[in-house]
Amino acid sequence: MKAISSTQYSQVTSLLKDGYSLCHIEHKTGLGKSTVGRIKKKVDGDKENNKGGHPSKLSPHDKKAIIHQITSGKLDNAVGATNFINSTLSDPVTPQTVRNTLQDNGFCSVTKIK
């Protein structure tokens, strides 16, 4: 692998800061795509990766209310918690959403002993 000069390196970093794409920088500087990508990784090394996915329909306040209802014994299962939380929300959620919230907070499903 051939080392690049400091002027090329500074040119690539300035183009990256200006918001140019990797392909455009590659054509403008004459460097390879992987070289430009490696420089970008060095410059944006502390950048956090986005996990992606759809944002939660439940706010942190809604999640806390569900947990409180379950732990206080007012509600027994996720379906009851869904009915409770849907009475306060304009956009209803499914029981699976409530189950996911409970599971994220350390709850698990068990069969009730008769």
Side-chain angles (χ1 to χ4, degrees), residues 5-113:
S5 67
S6 61
T7 57
Q8 284 182 319
Y9 185 85
S10 62
Q11 184 182 13
V12 170
T13 55
S14 66
L15 289 172
L16 283 170
K17 289 179 183 173
D18 291 341
Y20 288 100
S21 68
L22 295 181
C23 188
H24 188 269
I25 295 171
E26 174 190 357
H27 291 299
K28 200 165 193 170
T29 60
L31 296 172
K33 196 183 302 182
S34 61
T35 305
V36 175
R38 200 169 25 256
I39 294 171
K40 181 180 179 178
K41 202 174 205 181
K42 279 184 184 178
V43 172
D44 294 338
D46 58 345
K47 195 171 185 181
E48 205 172 295
N49 287 337
N50 186 5
K51 288 177 65 175
H54 194 276
S56 179
K57 284 187 170 184
L58 296 174
S59 68
H61 183 271
D62 296 333
K63 292 178 182 181
K64 191 173 182 180
I66 290 170
I67 300 298
H68 177 69
Q69 292 291 319
I70 295 288
T71 54
S72 66
K74 293 180 183 175
L75 298 173
D76 292 329
N77 54 26
V79 175
T82 303
N83 294 334
F84 164 75
I85 203 67
N86 280 342
S87 65
T88 61
L89 294 176
S90 61
D91 192 17
V93 296
T94 63
Q96 187 61 49
T97 303
V98 175
R99 281 188 206 103
N100 292 342
T101 299
L102 292 171
Q103 190 175 19
D104 290 343
N105 286 286
F107 290 89
C108 60
S109 60
V110 292
T111 306
K112 194 173 187 179
I113 299 173

